Amino acid sequence: MSMQALPQSKMTKSDSIFFVEKTVFAPTVSKATSTYKTPICPEGFNLELIGSDNLSVITKSGTVFTPLHDMVVHLLFKAIKKDNGSYIEIPFVVNVEGTYNNQGKNAKPFVIPSLREWHGAEGNFILTTKSRIVIDAKQEAILMQAATIFQDDLDKLCAIKPKIVIGKPKAGDVFISLDGKNEELGTEGYSLSIRDYVSINAAQYKGALWGTRTLLQILEQDAKHCSLPKGISRDYPKYEVRGFLLDVGRKYFTIDFLRDYVKLMSYYKMGDFQIHLSDNAFVKHYNNDWDSTYSGFRLESERYPNLPTKGEFYTKKEFIDLQLLAERYGINIIPEIDVPAHSLAISKAFPQIASEKYGKDHLDIKNPETYTIVENIFREYLEGENPVFRFKEVHIGTDEYAKEEAEPFRKFTDHFIKYVQSFGKDVRVWGALTHAQGVTPVTSKGVTMNAWYNGYADPLKMKELGYPLISTPDGYLYIVPAAGYYYDYLNLKYLYEKWEPVAIGDVVFKMGDPFIRGGMFAVWNDVSKNGITAQDVTDRVFPALQVLSEKMWSGENKTVNFSAFSDKVKSINEGPGLNLRGKISGKDALVVNYEMKGNDKEIKNINQVLYEKEGNRKVLNFKSNSSQVKLPYPEIGYNYTVIFKINPSENNADDAVIFQSNHATVKLKQGNTSNFGFSHEGKDYDFGIAIPEKKWSTIAVSGDNNSTTLYLDGKLVKKLEREKIPIGIKTDSIYIMKTLFFPLGQIGDSKNSFIGKMKDLKVFNQILSEIQIQAIKEEE
């Protein structure tokens, strides 16, 4: 019998003690050593290096790449006793001497995630209008996309658009090449040299692109967006999978929103974007009526046209284009179709395969037709030379099915793992096999498991079964907006100080364990139609993204504490061209100040609107229901105060528009209520008061992430805030949100503008008090 064929059991305590006492590990790797030598074993044992928490310094084959400065590397060895195959894993900490014994002149620049290695030189590189982006001729075809993205981003951030050329760099240029060693830098690592010219050298495309993200973040923090500190760096991730999951099944997000998230995640080197494409709300919130319970299936289906949610799905072309964009930006899209639970959208289309026993969100996994339909659904997105699902990994869900059906559930899971693998894909699943214990084998080869709750899947047992794990612990990393359980906003201080992907619930794996692929945080939109907008989701995601990109790229950061990190992150935003959080900045809190008497340079695009003299000044007169004024800012996000003076004419129409953006509308009359209000994402809100006609009123609206407040003529009218309302059966209730990103893209509307006059629009990027608002009202 070969050693590999022997059963894998833990080594006895006496054998373990004997082995450790007889084996001497080298605690230090001296400068310029090229190989870490595995210790000689005692007779009757084998020892192999199975893991390293820094594969760019010590690889699993033992190759050593000398870091810039001394680094601690956690190695993981496996000792095997030859006669019975029993084993132990032995963690060992090694100090690897670096090339330099000091940090150099320039301090390490702050970026998110932080640079793994840096040695500062003296002085600064200055990007100018004469700078060029130079691509190494050997890799022109591969690198042109990265160079083009970088060029466009520099144009947006720095107002400099360097030419892209092929060849060799000269002073002032940025040079991008792929001459790095794959063993050293892997898929995502790169070396950076900032001298007379800047050089990014990677082994693969993604590493080169990540190098450009680093440069952009440094430039963003420079007052003039042109200066980089000279120095050299080696940068690479600690964990391969650094991900974010967005539940679009229970809440629909536009394809443009997803495209923006690809760019946002790329800016923070977060490589995996899992899109949870199908799911449903809780039937208890819909009076236990499955037919009226909200569900979503978000992909076009030509085979089953009644499967996608009407008006709320992505065409195949849109989803393919999203993935093509993701490829260019270094992001893996992980599409998830969740079966056989969370499957109400499928059973609504095919009532005959709904479970009668466990509810219609469970598919009947004993019904052969269930297998046929689910196979057909997956096949449509997997077959052909150019499948709809382009990336290597596909998520098939497999979670939270009724416990008493463990054996058929395991059979179903194994079947669809193999089915999806038959199309050349690797598979991801949710950890459920401790919950669904049984004897039916479930394939682990080519399968990665999201370890989310240890009661559903014991991480240590899943490792024994051969499943690589993505650390997705619900108790730390689940955001469920405004639900009242899990997190509304993640505990970032705890995550920064205490967590990294080796921790899954109360189980902590050894550093360098090869079964821990990385981590992922998630937004689950469990409570459908609760007023949470896409903008509210971003308000929760963005700060978490900043912290978790750091934790999953670098691990523990001992040089920057959480307080300092929290201060520094304020200077890094979403990436060039993005403003998902609706930020407007200025010299002070007053960021927009339009008198509207004809001298506002930013008000240029006017239709059916006249400047009309009134007293000793002019005002804007919206004369018809097609009156419009375009403004240069789409919206302002939390925290804000918007103040304006308005004089509505008599008999304005229902839903008459004052302000609007792509996301929201502020109305003079909300529906047929005559009350001032706003609408977004299909929900309407009003403040219970009508704005007087044929007289000037001062309106102030302030908004934060929990409320929207109206003041009329300096006095508080109403604060709309999170409200708990009864819903469904018995004592069930949900929180309804009443937040607003204030729309500023346009005043008026092409079809239903308010009719009347406006003047003195002021926008502040902070919440003003009632006293401050009163003072502004009395200025004139």
Side-chain angles (χ1 to χ4, degrees):
M1 182 184 279
S2 70
M3 186 184 72
Q4 285 78 11
L6 287 166
Q8 290 277 292
S9 59
K10 292 291 176 68
M11 197 179 287
T12 64
K13 187 174 182 180
S14 60
D15 282 342
S16 301
I17 293 169
F18 171 78
F19 181 87
V20 172
E21 284 180 347
K22 296 292 184 183
T23 308
V24 179
F25 293 86
T28 303
V29 175
S30 60
K31 194 181 300 187
T33 300
S34 61
T35 305
Y36 182 83
K37 292 181 180 177
T38 302
I40 297 169
C41 286
E43 189 76 25
F45 293 86
N46 274 351
L47 182 68
E48 61 177 322
L49 176 60
I50 62 168
S52 164
D53 79 336
N54 193 327
L55 294 168
S56 290
V57 174
I58 301 179
T59 71
K60 278 196 271 189
S61 66
T63 303
V64 176
F65 295 99
T66 302
L68 297 179
H69 302 104
D70 291 3
M71 294 194 80
V72 170
V73 179
H74 293 82
L75 300 180
L76 189 60
F77 294 89
K78 188 173 188 178
I80 302 172
K81 193 174 184 185
K82 291 180 181 179
D83 64 2
N84 62 12
S86 64
Y87 75 95
I88 53 167
E89 289 182 353
I90 304 169
F92 190 73
V93 179
V94 178
N95 185 62
V96 184
E97 291 185 353
T99 302
Y100 302 96
N101 58 14
N102 61 60
Q103 293 295 309
K105 298 279 188 178
N106 284 329
K108 182 166 79 169
F110 179 81
V111 293
I112 309 171
S114 57
L115 297 172
R116 300 296 298 278
E117 301 177 25
W118 169 264
H119 185 74
E122 194 168 4
N124 291 280
F125 168 92
I126 304 298
L127 188 76
T128 72
T129 53
K130 294 181 180 179
S131 297
R132 305 174 304 164
I133 299 170
V134 183
I135 300 173
D136 191 331
K138 298 191 296 293
Q139 297 102 15
E140 176 185 351
I142 299 172
L143 289 175
M144 184 56 74
Q145 283 188 335
T148 303
I149 290 170
F150 187 43
Q151 178 193 49
D152 185 51
D153 287 339
L154 287 172
D155 188 22
K156 289 171 181 168
L157 177 66
C158 313
I160 294 173
K161 192 171 186 177
K163 286 182 181 177
I164 299 174
V165 299
I166 313 301
K168 295 185 177 179
K170 58 186 182 183
D173 292 341
V174 178
F175 180 58
I176 309 175
S177 63
L178 293 178
D179 285 339
K181 295 176 182 175
N182 202 65
E183 190 183 14
E184 176 186 2
L185 296 174
T187 305
E188 301 185 87
Y190 62 96
S191 60
L192 178 65
S193 170
I194 305 172
R195 304 287 194 186
D196 292 335
Y197 66 86
V198 177
S199 175
I200 298 169
N201 187 28
Q204 297 188 36
Y205 173 87
K206 195 178 287 192
L209 184 81
W210 288 164
T212 67
R213 306 300 88 185
T214 293
L215 296 180
L216 289 166
Q217 285 197 10
I218 298 171
L219 290 166
E220 181 182 1
Q221 296 170 82
D222 175 55
K224 295 183 178 178
H225 304 319
C226 66
S227 180
L228 300 167
K230 288 184 177 180
I232 56 174
S233 174
R234 280 201 327 149
D235 198 22
Y236 41 81
K238 185 170 185 177
Y239 295 95
E240 168 209 359
V241 172
R242 306 173 309 284
F244 168 64
L245 176 148
L246 183 62
D247 170 12
V248 306
R250 295 189 185 102
K251 174 176 172 53
Y252 176 69
F253 295 83
T254 67
I255 197 72
D256 285 339
F257 183 88
L258 301 186
R259 291 175 69 88
D260 284 345
Y261 261 50
V262 163
K263 296 176 183 178
L264 169 64
M265 291 176 66
S266 177
Y267 200 54
Y268 287 89
K269 305 184 181 80
M270 288 282 281
D272 275 31
F273 186 11
Q274 183 169 330
I275 303 177
H276 184 79
L277 289 162
S278 60
D279 214 318
N280 50 268
F282 298 123
V283 69
K284 67 180 183 177
H285 291 160
Y286 293 81
N287 294 311
N288 275 350
D289 177 14
W290 286 111
D291 292 336
S292 64
T293 300
Y294 183 79
S295 64
F297 189 96
R298 302 304 183 199
L299 272 185
E300 174 190 8
S301 174
E302 291 168 280
R303 184 179 186 110
Y304 297 130
N306 61 332
L307 179 59
T309 308
K310 288 182 181 178
E312 294 185 341
F313 67 88
Y314 314 119
T315 67
K316 290 179 179 178
K317 183 181 186 307
E318 285 175 333
F319 201 72
I320 289 169
D321 286 348
L322 174 70
Q323 292 167 92
L324 290 170
L325 179 78
E327 287 169 8
R328 294 196 295 273
Y329 276 84
I331 302 298
N332 303 315
I333 298 288
I334 311 297
E336 179 188 355
I337 294 173
D338 201 354
V339 288
H342 300 279
S343 298
L344 182 61
I346 297 173
S347 71
K348 278 184 177 178
F350 308 100
Q352 70 273 24
I353 66 168
S355 170
E356 292 183 10
K357 185 174 181 181
Y358 302 110
K360 290 185 178 180
D361 62 339
H362 281 52
L363 301 181
D364 180 357
I365 54 178
K366 295 178 181 176
N367 182 346
E369 192 177 356
T370 300
Y371 278 71
T372 302
I373 289 170
V374 175
E375 281 183 1
N376 288 339
I377 290 170
F378 276 107
R379 181 190 299 124
E380 182 168 356
Y381 307 120
L382 291 169
E383 66 185 351
E385 290 184 10
N386 295 296
V388 177
F389 292 166
R390 294 179 57 86
F391 285 87
K392 180 64 174 172
E393 293 182 272
V394 172
H395 206 297
I396 64 170
T398 64
D399 189 28
E400 294 188 302
Y401 201 85
K403 189 172 187 175
E404 52 265 49
E405 301 293 344
E407 297 299 351
F409 171 81
R410 293 171 70 93
K411 176 188 172 186
F412 181 95
T413 301
D414 185 64
H415 176 87
F416 281 99
I417 287 170
K418 290 171 179 170
Y419 185 76
V420 171
Q421 287 178 338
S422 74
F423 293 91
K425 301 294 187 184
D426 289 339
V427 174
R428 293 191 187 178
V429 296
W430 290 105
L433 297 184
T434 300
H435 174 76
Q437 288 187 42
V439 297
T440 304
V442 180
T443 301
S444 62
K445 187 177 181 182
V447 180
T448 295
M449 186 176 284
N450 284 90
W452 69 278
Y453 174 54
N454 297 2
Y456 264 72
D458 180 321
L460 295 171
K461 289 195 169 84
M462 296 306 107
K463 175 185 171 179
E464 287 179 15
L465 291 170
Y467 293 99
L469 302 174
I470 297 171
S471 179
T472 322
D474 60 344
Y476 299 133
L477 298 182
Y478 274 19
I479 298 169
V480 187
Y485 57 87
Y486 284 127
Y487 283 100
D488 201 2
Y489 290 78
L490 294 183
N491 183 343
L492 300 183
K493 186 175 190 293
Y494 177 87
L495 292 172
Y496 187 86
E497 293 176 348
K498 305 288 187 184
W499 181 84
E500 65 177 276
V502 288
I504 303 175
D506 58 359
V507 174
V508 181
F509 287 81
K510 298 176 179 72
M511 289 289 183
D513 192 315
F515 276 86
I516 303 299
R517 288 185 65 188
M520 180 175 287
F521 76 108
V523 167
W524 297 105
N525 297 296
D526 291 12
V527 186
S528 297
K529 311 295 186 184
N530 65 347
I532 284 285
T533 64
Q535 293 69 50
D536 287 319
V537 169
T538 299
D539 194 61
R540 288 152 173 78
V541 168
F542 182 72
L545 185 75
Q546 289 187 312
V547 167
L548 290 168
S549 76
E550 171 69 20
K551 296 298 293 185
M552 294 193 276
W553 180 274
S554 302
E556 186 179 10
N557 188 336
K558 292 181 179 177
T559 59
V560 181
N561 65 30
F562 180 69
S563 176
F565 181 85
S566 300
D567 189 53
K568 287 173 178 285
V569 297
K570 294 171 186 173
S571 59
I572 302 179
N573 293 299
E574 300 163 17
L578 292 181
N579 193 7
L580 290 158
R581 296 175 301 141
K583 298 300 179 185
I584 304 177
S585 58
K587 293 177 182 177
D588 52 35
L590 179 59
V591 291
V592 174
N593 188 11
Y594 299 153
E595 292 183 314
M596 298 181 164
K597 56 185 183 183
N599 58 350
D600 300 303
K601 294 177 183 177
E602 293 87 350
I603 298 181
K604 298 173 184 175
N605 196 334
I606 293 178
N607 182 45
Q608 302 287 316
V609 181
L610 297 174
Y611 285 102
E612 192 171 277
K613 193 164 176 63
E614 184 169 295
N616 61 358
R617 58 164 290 171
K618 290 180 179 177
V619 298
L620 270 179
N621 192 355
F622 293 73
K623 299 185 76 70
S624 76
N625 57 17
S626 58
S627 295
Q628 302 167 75
V629 172
K630 297 284 176 65
L631 299 178
Y633 303 100
E635 61 194 353
I636 187 165
Y638 317 131
N639 297 305
Y640 67 81
T641 306
V642 176
I643 303 175
F644 59 96
K645 297 188 172 95
I646 192 168
N647 183 347
S649 299
E650 287 181 304
N651 301 319
N652 266 276
D654 292 347
D655 289 314
V657 173
I658 305 178
F659 291 95
Q660 63 179 302
S661 68
N662 290 335
H663 301 141
T665 306
V666 169
K667 300 174 183 177
L668 179 68
K669 294 183 175 182
Q670 180 61 276
N672 60 7
T673 67
S674 296
N675 294 332
F676 182 82
F678 62 90
S679 301
H680 53 50
E681 294 194 7
K683 291 187 78 72
D684 300 324
Y685 307 83
D686 78 72
F687 289 93
I689 192 170
I691 305 303
E693 297 176 340
K694 296 185 70 177
K695 64 171 284 193
W696 284 102
S697 298
T698 300
I699 292 176
V701 178
S702 66
D704 60 23
N705 65 348
N706 207 46
S707 63
T708 311
T709 305
L710 173 67
Y711 300 85
L712 181 60
D713 291 330
K715 294 179 181 177
L716 173 65
V717 173
K718 194 171 190 178
K719 185 174 188 175
L720 300 177
E721 52 191 337
R722 184 184 307 220
E723 181 183 5
K724 195 171 189 177
I725 63 165
I727 192 169
I729 58 169
K730 297 180 181 176
T731 57
D732 286 322
S733 59
I734 65 170
Y735 291 99
I736 295 292
M737 299 295 289
K738 301 177 182 181
T739 53
L740 173 69
F741 265 40
F742 197 95
L744 292 170
Q746 180 175 298
I747 307 172
D749 185 60
S750 61
K751 294 180 179 177
N752 196 25
S753 172
F754 86 98
I755 298 173
K757 300 171 184 177
M758 184 182 286
K759 63 183 179 181
D760 298 334
L761 172 64
K762 298 178 188 293
V763 179
F764 297 84
N765 62 7
Q766 67 181 38
I767 303 281
L768 299 187
S769 68
E770 187 170 357
I771 293 171
Q772 290 171 309
I773 291 168
Q774 181 72 38
I776 291 168
K777 186 259 174 189
E778 292 171 353
E779 277 178 9
E780 196 173 274

